[in-house]
C-alpha cells in the first residue's frame, strides 16, 4: 500500500503510541479523582498540555482540549454574537458553524489565496469574528495570516476612535499546518487557533483551541466543569499525551520534513507532466496537460493537488486502489457525501475540471521509492483513462 492521503489522517507516530499506552490500562485513573494515583495522572495531563501549548508559543492554561478540530472550531465561534466573515474555501466545519450566524464569504484568487481587499471591504462595523484557515485542506495554499491580523488590528483601532465598542476577533484553523509550519500565536496575531492531533501523527478524536487572554467563550456542552468549564467531560489523558508528543516531534523535524516533501512533490509533478508525451506521437489525439492547483509559492510542501481535465477522478481513485495507491478527491467528509468541492469551484474550476481533480498529500508513510512508484502508476492509469475515453467517444 502506498498512502498518499495524509491530509485526511496521519498514522500515529511510534513515539506517540508508546507514551499513550500506559494511560489506557495501567494509569487509567480519572484526573479529577482525589487519591494519589489520580493526582499523578492529573500532573501528567497538565504537563502534556503545557508541552502542546509550547509548540505554538502559548501556555497550557491558554488551551482548551477538545474532541478534534470540529469541536474546537464550534467552540471558537461562541465568541461571536454578531456577524462573521469566513473564507469561501474554508473546511465544512467552519462553513457550517458560520451558517448558524449572520455571515459573509471572503473571496480567493485562482490559487486559493485570500483577496485582502475583499476582506477590507467586508469588514463592516457589525463584524465580530473573522475565521481564515492558515493552510487550506484541499489546495495546501498558505494564507498571509500575519497580514490579515494587521488589517484586523487597524480596524479595531478605527473602531475605538469612532467609539464603536463592537469586539473583533481573529480565528484560524491550523489543522493542516501544525506538522509543516512553525506556528507561534503571538507572531500570527490570532485570538483563537484550532489544532488537530490527527493531522500531525497524533491520535484521532483529539484537538485543541488556543484562547488568547481576555477572550470570552461560551461552553457548547456543560457538565463537570473541566477545561475551565468550557469543555466538560473526563479528560482524555492518553489522547493529550499522544498529541503533545506528536506535535513536539513535528516541530523538531520541520525543516527536514519540508525538504523531504519538496523532493517527493517534485518527483510527482515531473512524472505527471509527462502524461501523454510518449504516446501523443502514436495516438490520433493529444492528451490534456495536467493542471496543478494551489499557490505555486505559498503552499504546504506535502500537497500536490492536480486536475486531469476530462477524467473521472472517482473512477481513477478506484483504479489506483487496485494498484495499492490511496489518494482522494479532496476533503474526506465531502468525498464521502459525493459533494462537488466548493473549494475547487471557488478558484474557478469548471465542473469537468472539478470531476477530474485529485488531492495527493504526502507524509511520514512515504519514501522516495514508493512516491516514485506511485507517480508512475498514476501516470499510467491517467493515460489509460484518456485512451478509454477517446475510444469510447470514437466508437459512439
Amino acid at each position: 500500500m502506498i498512502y498518499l492521503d495524509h491530509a485526511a489522517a496521519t498514522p500515529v507516530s511510534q513515539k506517540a503510541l508508546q507514551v499513550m499506552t500506559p494511560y489506557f490500562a495501567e494509569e487509567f485513573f480519572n484526573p479529577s479523582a482525589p487519591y494519589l494515583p489520580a493526582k499523578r495522572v492529573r500532573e501528567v495531563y497538565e504537563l502534556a498540555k503545557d508541552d502542546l501549548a509550547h509548540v505554538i508559543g502559548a501556555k497550557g492554561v491558554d488551551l482548551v482540549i477538545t474532541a478534534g478540530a470540529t469541536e474546537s472550531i464550534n467552540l471558537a465561534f461562541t465568541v461571536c454574537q454578531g456577524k462573521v466573515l469566513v473564507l469561501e474555501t474554508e473546511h465544512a466545519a467552519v462553513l457550517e458553524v458560520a451558517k448558524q450566524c449572520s455571515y459573509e464569504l471572503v473571496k480567493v484568487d485562482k490559487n486559493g489565496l485570500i483577496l485582502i481587499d475583499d476582506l477590507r471591504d467586508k469588514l463592516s462595523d457589525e463584524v465580530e469574528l473573522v475565521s481564515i484557515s492558515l493552510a487550506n485542506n484541499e489546495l495546501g495554499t498558505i494564507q498571509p495570516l500575519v497580514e490579515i491580523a494587521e488589517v484586523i488590528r487597524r480596524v479595531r483601532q478605527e473602531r475605538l476612535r469612532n467609539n464603536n465598542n463592537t469586539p473583533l476577533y481573529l480565528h484560524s484553523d491550523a489543522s493542516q499546518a501544525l506538522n509543516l509550519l512553525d506556528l507561534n500565536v503571538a507572531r500570527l496575531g490570532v485570538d483563537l487557533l484550532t489544532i488537530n492531533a490527527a493531522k500531525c501523527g497524533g491520535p484521532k478524536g483529539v484537538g485543541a483551541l488556543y484562547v488568547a487572554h481576555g477572550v470570552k467563550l461560551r461552553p457548547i456542552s456543560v457538565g463537570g466543569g473541566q477545561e475551565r468549564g468550557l469543555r466538560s467531560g473526563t479528560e482524555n489523558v492518553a489522547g493529550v499525551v499522544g498529541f503533545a508528543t506528536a506535535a513536539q516531534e513535528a516541530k523538531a523535524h520541520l525543516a527536514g520534513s519540508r525538504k523531504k516533501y519538496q523532493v517527493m512533490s517534485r518527483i510527482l509533478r515531473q512524472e505527471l507532466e509527462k502524461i501523454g508525451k510518449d504516446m501523443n506521437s502514436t495516438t490520433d489525439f493529444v492528451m490534456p496537460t495536467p493542471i496543478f492547483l494551489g499557490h505555486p509559492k505559498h503552499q504546504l510542501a506535502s500537497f500536490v493537488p492536480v486536475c486531469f481535465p476530462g477524467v473521472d477522478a472517482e473512477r481513477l481513485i478506484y483504479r489506483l486502489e487496485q494498484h495499492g495507491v490511496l489518494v482522494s478527491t479532496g476533503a474526506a467528509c465531502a468525498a464521502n457525501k459525493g459533494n462537488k468541492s466548493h473549494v475547487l469551484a471557488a478558484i474557478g474550476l469548471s465542473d469537468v475540471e472539478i470531476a477530474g481533480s485529485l488531492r495527493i498529500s504526502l507524509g511520514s508513510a512515504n519514501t522516495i521509492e514508493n512516491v516514485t512508484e506511485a507517480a508512475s502508476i498514476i501516470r499510467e492509469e491517467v493515460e489509460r483513462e484518456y485512451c478509454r475515453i477517446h475510444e469510447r467517444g470514437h466508437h459512439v
Side-chain angles (χ1 to χ4, degrees):
M1 183 184 77
I2 304 175
Y3 181 65
L4 297 174
D5 196 22
H6 289 81
T10 55
V12 175
S13 79
Q14 286 301 308
K15 193 171 181 181
L17 189 59
Q18 185 179 3
V19 298
M20 289 169 67
T21 302
Y23 301 97
F24 289 115
E26 299 164 35
E27 304 293 335
F28 61 88
F29 307 100
N30 188 322
S32 299
Y35 32 81
L36 188 58
K39 288 181 178 179
R40 283 199 294 262
V41 169
R42 162 64 62 188
E43 286 178 18
V44 168
Y45 180 77
E46 296 299 340
L47 285 171
K49 273 186 73 174
D50 283 338
D51 289 341
L52 178 58
H54 292 160
V55 170
I56 60 170
K59 297 178 180 178
V61 293
D62 301 326
L63 292 188
V64 178
I65 302 299
T66 63
T70 297
E71 185 186 354
S72 172
I73 291 161
N74 275 261
L75 182 60
F77 270 64
T78 67
V79 76
C80 179
Q81 305 268 337
K83 187 175 180 180
V84 303
L85 297 180
V86 299
L87 210 57
E88 60 181 339
T89 52
E90 288 299 311
H91 189 280
V94 173
L95 293 175
E96 290 303 314
V97 71
K99 290 174 184 176
Q100 298 177 19
C101 315
S102 170
Y103 79 102
E104 199 168 357
L105 299 177
V106 179
K107 294 191 176 300
V108 298
D109 67 15
K110 64 179 183 178
N111 296 315
L113 203 64
I114 186 174
L115 296 176
I116 291 285
D117 285 343
D118 192 51
L119 172 66
R120 289 193 184 97
D121 291 344
K122 288 171 177 171
L123 269 169
S124 62
D125 288 345
E126 298 77 36
V127 174
E128 293 185 14
L129 176 65
V130 175
S131 184
I132 309 286
S133 63
L134 181 52
N136 183 264
N137 65 297
E138 290 190 37
L139 302 171
T141 297
I142 301 167
Q143 302 298 340
L145 212 56
V146 174
E147 185 181 352
I148 293 165
E150 178 60 20
V151 169
I152 286 172
R153 187 186 68 81
R154 289 179 180 177
V155 171
R156 284 178 184 147
Q157 289 179 333
E158 183 68 22
R159 287 183 180 182
L160 285 174
R161 284 194 291 270
N162 295 331
N163 295 317
N164 178 357
N165 295 320
T166 305
L168 181 58
Y169 302 104
L170 175 60
H171 166 256
S172 182
D173 174 11
S175 296
Q176 295 289 348
L178 187 59
N179 65 333
L180 280 165
L181 299 179
D182 186 11
L183 304 187
N184 182 286
V185 289
R187 187 171 63 243
L188 292 173
V190 294
D191 302 293
L192 298 149
L193 187 79
T194 290
I195 52 177
N196 186 357
K199 312 296 186 185
C200 70
K204 297 177 186 66
V206 189
L209 179 66
Y210 160 78
V211 185
H213 297 296
V215 176
K216 303 295 183 187
L217 303 177
R218 301 188 309 278
I220 51 178
S221 60
V222 293
Q226 291 89 343
E227 299 295 318
R228 290 182 283 159
L230 290 171
R231 208 281 178 173
S232 291
T234 302
E235 295 88 344
N236 182 356
V237 180
V240 174
V241 168
F243 190 1
T245 300
Q248 287 176 311
E249 278 188 284
K251 185 166 182 121
H253 298 104
L254 280 176
S257 295
R258 273 200 296 267
K259 183 179 279 189
K260 168 185 167 183
Y261 299 141
Q262 282 165 355
V263 172
M264 293 178 178
S265 171
R266 191 156 50 245
I267 289 169
L268 277 161
R269 290 170 190 268
Q270 287 173 350
E271 185 66 17
L272 297 181
E273 282 170 353
K274 295 176 187 174
I275 286 173
K277 295 289 192 296
D278 298 336
M279 301 177 67
N280 285 337
S281 59
T282 59
T283 58
D284 58 351
F285 71 102
V286 177
M287 295 184 188
T289 302
I291 303 168
F292 293 101
L293 309 174
H295 200 284
K297 292 182 179 178
H298 306 293
Q299 186 177 45
L300 295 176
S302 60
F303 272 64
V304 188
V306 59
C307 167
F308 305 110
V311 168
D312 180 350
E314 295 289 349
R315 176 184 162 87
L316 181 59
I317 285 171
Y318 172 77
R319 293 283 308 167
L320 292 173
E321 188 176 352
Q322 304 311 299
H323 294 282
V325 177
L326 305 183
V327 295
S328 73
T329 54
C333 48
N336 189 45
K337 294 177 184 175
N339 293 346
K340 181 176 80 172
S341 167
H342 68 280
V343 173
L344 302 187
I347 64 171
L349 265 62
S350 67
D351 286 353
V352 169
E353 289 169 332
I354 291 171
S357 296
L358 292 184
R359 178 185 68 179
I360 301 170
S361 48
L362 304 161
S364 61
N366 299 129
T367 63
I368 297 290
E369 291 73 25
N370 69 24
V371 166
T372 302
E373 181 184 353
S376 178
I377 292 169
I378 296 169
R379 176 190 171 186
E380 289 171 8
E381 284 301 320
V382 171
E383 288 177 340
R384 186 174 284 113
E385 281 300 291
Y386 277 131
C387 288
R388 185 187 68 84
I389 292 165
H390 177 72
E391 281 296 316
R392 189 179 62 186
H394 185 71
H395 284 107
V396 169

